[in-house]
């Protein structure tokens, strides 16, 4: 079974980097904005969402809110992938409903790979709501 990640990121260089780091192990659906991402998530449910915070039109917090209000999408693990790295940001985004938080630029690729593996594995475990929704 192919593992699928949805990457919501407006910066082409960041999408290219994620593709280079994870593309051999995952099918990656790329979205540049929230409207396209929400439509794409409904069409093709991924195992995990990597979600930038600063996006045009609809920010990552609003996109996450819409994901959490949709019964079909609610169980998806969503990782904030953001340049917002001030003191307190991690707690703020986790409190907003993100499952995990990673900062950009990606300096230690193993942090990204480890977090993705952990959440994809968790989503696929029998009895997990994300696994049963997929």
């Amino acid at each position: 079974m192919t593992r699928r990640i949805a990457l919501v990121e407006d910066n082409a260089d960041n999408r290219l980097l994620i593709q280079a780091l994870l593309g051999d192990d995952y099918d990656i659906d790329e979205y540049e904005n929230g409207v396209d991402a929400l439509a794409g998530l409904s069409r093709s449910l991924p195992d995990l969402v990597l979600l930038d915070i600063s996006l045009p039109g609809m920010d990552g917090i609003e996109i996450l809110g819409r994901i959490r209000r949709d019964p079909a999408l609610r169980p998806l693990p969503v990782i904030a992938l953001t340049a917002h790295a001030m003191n307190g940001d991690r707690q703020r985004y986790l409190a907003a409903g993100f499952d995990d938080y990673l900062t950009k630029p990606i300096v230690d690729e193993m942090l990204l790979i480890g977090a993705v593996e952990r959440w994809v594995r968790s989503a696929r475990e029998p009895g997990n709501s994300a696994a049963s929704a997929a």
Side-chain angles (χ1 to χ4, degrees), residues 25-61:
D25 297 316
Y26 299 92
D27 285 342
I28 301 175
D29 298 325
E30 297 181 12
Y31 306 101
E32 294 183 32
N33 61 64
V35 172
D36 292 345
L38 292 167
L41 293 174
S42 295
R43 282 191 309 270
S44 179
L45 195 66
D47 295 293
L48 171 76
V49 179
L50 291 173
L51 179 55
D52 186 16
I53 299 297
S54 298
L55 293 163
M58 184 185 318
D59 71 17
I61 299 286

Side-chain angles (χ1 to χ4, degrees), residues 3-114:
R3 302 179 303 172
R4 178 175 302 285
I5 294 173
L7 172 61
V8 188
E9 168 65 65
D10 61 325
N11 182 289
D13 291 335
N14 289 336
R15 289 195 310 272
L16 188 61
L17 176 61
I18 297 295
Q19 192 68 249
L21 294 173
L22 301 173
D24 288 344
D25 297 316
Y26 299 92
D27 285 342
I28 301 175
D29 298 325
E30 297 181 12
Y31 306 101
E32 294 183 32
N33 61 64
V35 172
D36 292 345
L38 292 167
L41 293 174
S42 295
R43 282 191 309 270
S44 179
L45 195 66
D47 295 293
L48 171 76
V49 179
L50 291 173
L51 179 55
D52 186 16
I53 299 297
S54 298
L55 293 163
M58 184 185 318
D59 71 17
I61 299 286
E62 183 176 348
I63 296 166
L64 178 70
R66 292 182 185 206
I67 288 171
R68 295 299 186 229
R69 287 190 299 273
D70 184 326
L73 302 178
R74 182 178 304 128
L76 285 173
V78 181
I79 298 176
L81 186 61
T82 180
H84 295 272
M86 299 296 290
N87 192 22
D89 280 345
R90 178 181 180 78
Q91 294 78 14
R92 180 174 146 224
Y93 294 120
L94 293 176
F98 284 92
D99 294 291
D100 209 339
Y101 165 91
L102 297 170
T103 58
K104 297 185 294 189
I106 297 167
V107 177
D108 183 350
E109 64 192 50
M110 294 314 294
L111 287 175
L112 171 70
I113 293 167

